[in-house]
Amino acid sequence: MFLLLVWIFSGISDIEILEMAMAQNRTILTFDRDYGELIFKKNFKPQFGIIYLRFNNYSPIFPGELIFRLFQREDFHFENTFTVIDENGIRQRIYK
Protein backbone atom coordinates (compact mmCIF):
# COMPACT_ATOMS: atom_id res chain seq x y z
CA MET A 1 0.00 0.00 0.00
CA PHE A 2 1.27 3.44 -0.89
CA LEU A 3 0.17 6.59 0.89
CA LEU A 4 -0.75 9.88 -0.68
CA LEU A 5 0.12 12.52 1.90
CA VAL A 6 -2.26 15.41 1.44
CA TRP A 7 -0.17 18.09 3.16
CA ILE A 8 2.57 17.51 0.56
CA PHE A 9 0.12 18.57 -2.15
CA SER A 10 -1.17 21.76 -0.59
CA GLY A 11 -2.46 24.10 -3.25
CA ILE A 12 -4.40 21.55 -5.27
CA SER A 13 -8.06 20.77 -4.61
CA ASP A 14 -9.37 17.90 -2.53
CA ILE A 15 -11.08 16.51 -5.62
CA GLU A 16 -7.76 16.50 -7.50
CA ILE A 17 -6.20 14.63 -4.56
CA LEU A 18 -9.00 12.05 -4.66
CA GLU A 19 -8.67 11.61 -8.41
CA MET A 20 -4.91 11.20 -8.08
CA ALA A 21 -5.27 8.63 -5.28
CA MET A 22 -7.84 6.65 -7.25
CA ALA A 23 -5.74 6.69 -10.44
CA GLN A 24 -2.59 5.62 -8.56
CA ASN A 25 -4.26 3.16 -6.14
CA ARG A 26 -3.10 5.03 -3.04
CA THR A 27 -4.44 5.52 0.46
CA ILE A 28 -4.99 9.16 1.41
CA LEU A 29 -3.52 10.29 4.74
CA THR A 30 -4.87 13.67 5.81
CA PHE A 31 -5.64 16.11 8.61
CA ASP A 32 -8.44 17.61 6.45
CA ARG A 33 -12.00 16.77 7.52
CA ASP A 34 -13.53 17.55 4.11
CA TYR A 35 -12.82 14.08 2.73
CA GLY A 36 -15.67 12.46 4.67
CA GLU A 37 -18.14 14.73 2.91
CA LEU A 38 -16.60 14.01 -0.48
CA ILE A 39 -16.99 10.28 0.10
CA PHE A 40 -20.42 10.12 1.68
CA LYS A 41 -22.15 13.08 0.01
CA LYS A 42 -20.30 13.47 -3.31
CA ASN A 43 -19.84 9.73 -3.92
CA PHE A 44 -16.04 9.59 -4.37
CA LYS A 45 -14.90 6.08 -3.49
CA PRO A 46 -11.10 5.68 -3.41
CA GLN A 47 -10.47 1.93 -3.33
CA PHE A 48 -7.54 2.11 -0.93
CA GLY A 49 -9.30 4.31 1.60
CA ILE A 50 -8.73 7.50 3.51
CA ILE A 51 -7.13 7.89 6.92
CA TYR A 52 -8.19 11.11 8.65
CA LEU A 53 -5.99 12.08 11.60
CA ARG A 54 -8.01 14.26 13.92
CA PHE A 55 -5.56 15.57 16.51
CA ASN A 56 -5.20 19.09 17.84
CA ASN A 57 -1.92 18.77 19.72
CA TYR A 58 0.74 16.27 18.77
CA SER A 59 4.49 15.97 18.39
CA PRO A 60 5.81 16.06 14.81
CA ILE A 61 6.77 12.38 14.92
CA PHE A 62 3.51 11.10 16.45
CA PRO A 63 1.41 10.69 13.25
CA GLY A 64 4.13 8.71 11.50
CA GLU A 65 4.66 6.39 14.46
CA LEU A 66 0.92 5.84 14.82
CA ILE A 67 0.40 5.01 11.15
CA PHE A 68 3.45 2.72 11.15
CA ARG A 69 2.04 0.75 14.10
CA LEU A 70 -1.38 0.47 12.44
CA PHE A 71 0.07 -0.89 9.21
CA GLN A 72 1.87 -3.58 11.23
CA ARG A 73 -1.44 -4.88 12.61
CA GLU A 74 -3.23 -7.59 10.70
CA ASP A 75 -6.65 -6.68 12.10
CA PHE A 76 -6.81 -3.29 10.32
CA HIS A 77 -7.74 -2.93 6.70
CA PHE A 78 -8.08 0.42 4.99
CA GLU A 79 -9.48 -0.56 1.59
CA ASN A 80 -12.88 1.05 0.85
CA THR A 81 -12.85 2.54 4.33
CA PHE A 82 -12.92 6.03 5.82
CA THR A 83 -10.81 5.74 8.98
CA VAL A 84 -10.87 8.44 11.66
CA ILE A 85 -8.14 8.39 14.28
CA ASP A 86 -8.41 10.74 17.25
CA GLU A 87 -7.75 10.91 20.99
CA ASN A 88 -10.77 8.65 21.63
CA GLY A 89 -9.64 5.83 19.38
CA ILE A 90 -10.13 4.58 15.84
CA ARG A 91 -13.41 4.48 13.93
CA GLN A 92 -13.87 3.01 10.49
CA ARG A 93 -16.78 3.36 8.12
CA ILE A 94 -16.85 1.10 5.08
CA TYR A 95 -18.10 2.39 1.74
CA LYS A 96 -18.62 0.54 -1.53
Side-chain angles (χ1 to χ4, degrees):
M1 174 185 328
F2 295 98
L3 295 174
L4 186 62
L5 308 174
V6 173
W7 61 88
I8 291 174
F9 293 100
S10 64
I12 66 174
S13 73
D14 293 342
I15 291 174
E16 289 174 298
I17 295 286
L18 277 166
E19 290 170 345
M20 185 184 314
M22 291 188 299
Q24 298 176 9
N25 296 324
R26 293 179 183 254
T27 300
I28 296 174
L29 177 61
T30 185
F31 288 94
D32 185 348
R33 74 176 99 190
D34 295 337
Y35 286 91
E37 180 176 338
L38 291 171
I39 290 172
F40 299 110
K41 292 186 179 179
K42 304 287 184 182
N43 211 30
F44 284 91
K45 308 290 186 201
Q47 178 183 355
F48 289 90
I50 295 178
I51 302 170
Y52 168 43
L53 299 170
R54 190 175 168 191
F55 295 103
N56 293 323
N57 299 312
Y58 56 89
S59 69
I61 199 166
F62 176 73
E65 290 175 341
L66 177 64
I67 294 302
F68 180 78
R69 285 194 311 268
L70 281 178
F71 284 140
Q72 301 302 311
R73 293 177 56 173
E74 293 183 18
D75 59 333
F76 272 98
H77 301 281
F78 299 99
E79 296 82 11
N80 296 308
T81 303
F82 183 69
T83 302
V84 178
I85 304 172
D86 62 19
E87 289 87 0
N88 298 316
I90 300 170
R91 297 178 308 283
Q92 292 188 296
R93 184 170 169 192
I94 297 172
Y95 53 80
K96 297 198 185 219

